Amino acid sequence: MVKVGVVGYGTIGQRLADGVAFQGDMELVGVADIGPTLPVRALKEKGMPYDFYLAVPENREKLEEAGIPISGTLEELIQKVDIILDATNAGVGAKNKVLYEKYGKKAIFQGGEKTSVADVFFHGYANYEKGIGKQFLKLTSCNTTGLIRSVDCLDRVVGIDSVMIHIVRRVADPGDYHRGLTNALKIDPVPNHQAVDLMLIMPHVKATGVLVHTPVTHGHIITVFAKPKKKITREEVLESFRAHPRIRVVRIADGFLGNASLFKYARDLGNPRGDMYEIAIWEETVTIFEDHIIYALNIPQEAVVIPETIDGIRAAMEMQTDRLEAVGLTNKYLKIGG
């Protein structure tokens, strides 16, 4: 049983803790954070299903005032586990890495950290083998994770030479105020980092793209214009997508009009926090144009990276050396594609 700790109990950290707890071959030892944040207060109100470790000792009094039991310090959590999932704010993980190295522990960092923090820039489906046995892995961002799922899916069927992508990006997570209130769109320079990151994971595919920030909070939408290495029909593309456990093919005709429809559907399914692990591809957007594959997908940014992070544990800890066996177990325990 691999012992896992989660450092940073925020938007991603909460979901990582739940994801690890679902795994039948992993043990969640505890979570760590800096103080009585709203997620930590909610953890207490739920009866402390996970042990809490304090990352900032100066905040002990605040936690005691809030009635939140403390199981130990961050360093004590690190010493108890085999691997840490670092879900702290960008830049904090790189500082925490010093502690992980001090105790000889493995760690997986999220997309906000610089790629240089890790031995391998990792994606469960696209380059699982490169993460096997490595000490430090870094996940791709939420957009890149979902994008690579779809491109890798097609690449393994027909081979992909290049992709052009256009991302309509939510500006903040629900509940975030620090980015401000806005009624404007903002465009990034070409190429966006997701295109660059895709090429780091899949160096045989050429990629470029545009990114537009939008004042919404539930999900990103990406359109993809992919050049296959050989001819493929629309039905074959759809068949490939439908066969992928972490891709959900939906139809506008059925009421899936956009990102909000998918978030509401996840809530109607009873998924905790309205989460959905799968990306969604709209059937009506899938087409073949001038021998190129076109499609649009939705990225549920708060949960999409959880399966690939679990895959990372399997790779780093050498729990499985076969890619499909590893992702299959992650899918099984998270009840994806069942």
Side-chain angles (χ1 to χ4, degrees), residues 143-314:
N143 265 319
T144 314
T145 297
L147 173 65
I148 289 176
R149 275 187 205 168
S150 67
V151 175
D152 175 73
C153 174
L154 294 175
D155 187 50
R156 292 180 185 274
V157 174
V158 72
I160 295 297
D161 179 67
S162 64
V163 293
M164 290 184 286
I165 61 177
H166 179 263
I167 301 176
V168 181
R169 183 188 189 276
R170 68 93 182 92
V171 73
D173 285 324
D176 280 356
Y177 288 91
H178 65 279
R179 295 185 188 273
L181 305 177
T182 181
N183 184 30
L185 302 179
K186 177 177 176 288
I187 194 163
D188 280 2
V190 173
N192 53 47
H193 85 77
Q194 291 85 359
V196 174
D197 289 351
L198 182 146
M199 289 187 287
L200 289 175
I201 296 285
M202 304 178 69
H204 57 287
V205 175
K206 299 183 286 292
T208 190
V210 176
L211 184 147
V212 179
H213 300 263
T214 59
V216 298
T217 60
H218 289 302
H220 315 282
I221 291 178
I222 304 178
T223 58
V224 181
F225 193 77
K227 181 182 179 182
K229 292 184 177 178
K230 59 184 181 180
K231 287 185 180 294
I232 187 171
T233 67
R234 177 178 183 270
E235 281 308 313
E236 288 171 333
V237 171
L238 283 167
E239 183 181 344
S240 301
F241 286 151
R242 290 190 181 108
H244 197 296
R246 296 182 192 173
I247 295 175
R248 179 187 289 258
V249 177
V250 299
R251 301 198 317 151
I252 298 170
D254 292 335
F256 291 100
L257 305 182
N259 60 329
S261 304
L262 286 154
F263 178 72
K264 181 180 183 302
Y265 192 65
R267 287 191 301 182
D268 291 342
L269 288 173
N271 295 356
R273 305 185 185 92
D275 286 346
M276 191 172 282
Y277 295 127
E278 310 99 312
I279 61 171
I281 292 178
W282 282 278
E283 181 179 308
E284 291 95 332
T285 69
V286 177
T287 190
I288 306 297
F289 178 77
E290 296 292 329
D291 294 327
H292 283 70
I293 304 166
I294 300 175
Y295 59 95
L297 62 143
N298 182 79
I299 304 288
Q301 83 278 358
E302 296 173 295
V304 70
V305 298
I306 306 309
E308 275 76 6
T309 306
I310 303 298
D311 298 338
I313 298 172
R314 298 186 178 283

Side-chain angles (χ1 to χ4, degrees), residues 32-43:
D33 213 307
I34 60 173
T37 61
L38 289 182
V40 174
R41 290 178 185 272
L43 184 70

